[in-house]
């Protein structure tokens, strides 16, 4: 597995958790996870830009 594939997989787990929290009515918890998810995704994008 490449680093990029591993990074993708580590982002999918928290997103699945957030969706489960939404189903359970835990909006604040889901929002917190999604905010961290978006921050990490931005970090990955920034890292990729710096590689070029």
């Amino acid at each position: 597995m490449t680093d990029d594939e591993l990074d993708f997989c580590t982002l999918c787990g928290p997103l699945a958790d957030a969706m489960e929290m939404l189903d359970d009515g835990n909006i604040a918890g889901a929002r917190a996870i999604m905010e961290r998810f978006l921050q990490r995704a931005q970090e990955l994008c920034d890292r990729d830009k710096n590689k070029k």
Side-chain angles (χ1 to χ4, degrees):
M1 180 178 284
T2 67
D3 285 341
D4 288 339
E5 290 169 328
L6 182 60
D7 288 336
F8 178 79
C9 290
T10 58
L11 290 174
C12 290
L15 183 57
D17 291 343
M19 292 183 68
E20 188 172 309
M21 287 179 156
L22 286 173
D23 289 343
D24 292 340
N26 185 352
I27 306 277
R31 181 180 180 90
I33 287 175
M34 288 187 283
E35 286 175 349
R36 286 192 303 266
F37 174 86
L38 289 172
Q39 180 182 5
R40 180 66 179 133
Q42 185 62 55
E43 290 169 1
L44 292 174
C45 289
D46 293 344
R47 182 191 70 188
D48 287 345
K49 287 179 188 175
N50 291 332
K51 283 183 181 179
K52 295 178 183 178

